[in-house]
Amino acid sequence: MSYLSNFSKTRLAWLLLLLSVLALEGTALFFQHVMKLEPCVMCIYERVALLGIGGAAIIGLLAPKNAILRWIGLLGWGYCAVEGLLLTYQHYIFQVDTSPWGPTCDLFVQFPSWAPLNQWAPWMFDATGDCSKIVWSFLSLSMTQWLVIIFFAYVVTCFIFLLSQFFSKKSN
């Protein structure tokens, strides 16, 4: 655990987290703009949660040895990962519960008036797809199921890094 604590104090740890987010966001944009798979409302919210993890990574990257910034980064990462996991699980429910009385997602994204992301960058945050449709799968798992796995991995990894902060040893 002390190894992970020391690793969290390096820029490499935070850079790897940021690169993973950028790779996933790039993949989402590839699906949208190259493969022409229209994102739904839940997809957009999941993108925002992923960008939140990226923002937390940037905070940690700024000064990983600074305990306050590192803890803000870790807590931001954890919060966004848990929110992303909850969103993707709800999205999964929309896809498997096809009854007429089942849950449905909103028709339009709902961002706060102070941050209308869909107006600022519609190429990334405008939702035109249907949340209940499965438009892509790999190894028999839908994109939503893969995102559940990805966000779960982010939650577990963050939790382990948070725990490691209590097992710190001085690095040479």
Side-chain angles (χ1 to χ4, degrees):
M1 285 298 246
S2 63
Y3 172 78
L4 291 177
S5 176
N6 289 333
F7 187 57
S8 72
K9 296 172 186 164
T10 68
R11 283 201 164 87
L12 177 61
W14 295 97
L15 180 63
L16 290 173
L17 179 62
L18 181 60
L19 290 175
S20 73
V21 167
L22 293 174
L24 290 167
E25 291 289 355
T27 302
L29 291 172
F30 177 83
F31 283 143
Q32 179 180 351
H33 295 291
V34 177
M35 295 179 65
K36 303 297 183 196
L37 303 178
E38 297 178 358
C40 67
V41 170
M42 294 302 287
C43 296
I44 300 302
Y45 293 155
E46 292 155 7
R47 281 185 190 180
V48 172
L50 198 55
L51 286 173
I53 295 171
I58 290 171
I59 291 170
L61 191 60
L62 290 174
K65 291 185 190 298
N66 180 303
I68 293 171
L69 288 180
R70 187 174 61 256
W71 273 97
I72 291 171
L74 286 166
L75 293 174
W77 170 12
Y79 174 78
C80 292
V82 168
E83 286 297 318
L85 181 59
L86 295 172
L87 285 166
T88 54
Y89 180 73
Q90 182 64 50
H91 191 178
Y92 171 73
I93 297 300
F94 291 156
Q95 291 180 342
V96 295
D97 187 355
T98 57
S99 70
W101 302 279
T104 59
C105 67
D106 297 331
L107 292 176
F108 304 102
V109 290
Q110 312 230 347
F111 290 116
S113 60
W114 53 268
L117 299 177
N118 57 324
Q119 294 172 14
W120 293 344
W123 56 272
M124 186 166 184
F125 298 109
D126 197 24
T128 53
D130 182 351
C131 293
S132 63
K133 288 188 180 175
I134 297 173
V135 295
W136 178 88
S137 64
F138 179 67
L139 298 176
S140 76
L141 295 176
S142 70
M143 189 180 306
T144 305
Q145 290 170 313
W146 279 110
L147 282 171
V148 168
I149 293 167
I150 289 165
F151 276 111
F152 182 76
Y154 275 130
V155 169
V156 169
T157 306
C158 182
F159 180 73
I160 291 169
F161 270 90
L162 280 167
L163 277 180
S164 78
Q165 300 307 297
F166 299 103
F167 295 93
S168 143
K169 286 185 181 175
K170 291 268 184 188
S171 59
N172 294 337

